[in-house]
Amino acid sequence: MIDFRFAMLLLVVTLTGCSSQQPATGIVEYTDGDPVQSGSIEFRSLETGARYAGRIASNGTFALRDQDGNESLPPGEYEMVVVQIVMTEDVAAADHDHGQTVPRRYADYYTSDLRYSNQADRTDSIRVELDPTP
C-alpha cells in the first residue's frame, strides 16, 4: 500500500510542474495602445519551421495552438505575421466593426519584420505591437 505522505508529495510535485508551464497567450496592440480587434496571429519557428497560431479576440488577446490543437509555444526564436481579412463589399458598415485595419505588410513573413524570442524562463504574456501606418 502507498504511504499517504508519499502520495501527497507526488501530487504536489505534479501540480507544481504543471503550473510552471509558459503561457501561450498574449495581446496584439497598435503603438497607440488600441487593441487589434480581429484577425489571426501566427508564430513560425526559425529553427524548425513549426507554426503556432491563434485567433485575435475583439480585445486584442490570443491563445497560440500547435497543429494538434494544444495551447503551446516552445522556447525559441520566431517570426510572426498578423492577418486580418476585412470584407466590405455588400456589408453594411454597421454590421462589421473591426477597429483599425492591420497594414498589409504584417500579413507576410517577408515584410512583417515581427520577431519574438521566447525565453525558457518567461512567465508573462506575449505582447505584440504593430505600427498602424501603412
Side-chain angles (χ1 to χ4, degrees):
M1 183 181 280
I2 296 177
D3 182 326
F4 177 75
R5 289 175 291 183
F6 176 74
M8 291 305 294
L9 178 62
L10 183 60
L11 178 63
V12 169
V13 169
T14 303
L15 292 176
T16 303
C18 292
S19 67
S20 66
Q21 184 178 3
Q22 289 183 309
T25 58
I27 188 166
V28 185
E29 298 176 315
Y30 295 102
T31 53
D32 63 7
D34 286 342
V36 171
Q37 295 181 7
S38 66
S40 61
I41 187 166
E42 182 177 275
F43 286 54
R44 183 169 66 181
S45 169
L46 293 173
E47 182 181 328
T48 67
R51 296 170 189 238
Y52 304 86
R55 298 200 45 81
I56 300 169
S58 60
N59 63 356
T61 60
F62 63 86
L64 296 173
R65 299 197 178 279
D66 63 21
Q67 292 180 343
D68 294 326
N70 301 311
E71 189 174 308
S72 70
L73 185 68
E77 301 297 318
Y78 294 87
E79 56 187 348
M80 302 178 289
V81 291
V82 176
V83 178
Q84 183 184 60
I85 298 173
V86 179
M87 299 173 65
T88 58
E89 290 184 26
D90 301 325
V91 177
D95 291 338
H96 69 93
D97 180 23
H98 59 77
Q100 295 184 58
T101 301
V102 173
R104 284 184 185 219
R105 73 175 175 274
Y106 292 117
D108 189 316
Y109 282 111
Y110 295 107
T111 58
S112 76
D113 290 327
L114 295 173
R115 301 288 183 266
Y116 186 72
S117 180
N118 192 29
Q119 302 300 313
D121 60 349
R122 178 181 61 82
T123 58
D124 56 340
S125 296
I126 300 163
R127 186 168 180 270
V128 179
E129 189 174 79
L130 306 181
D131 180 354
T133 58

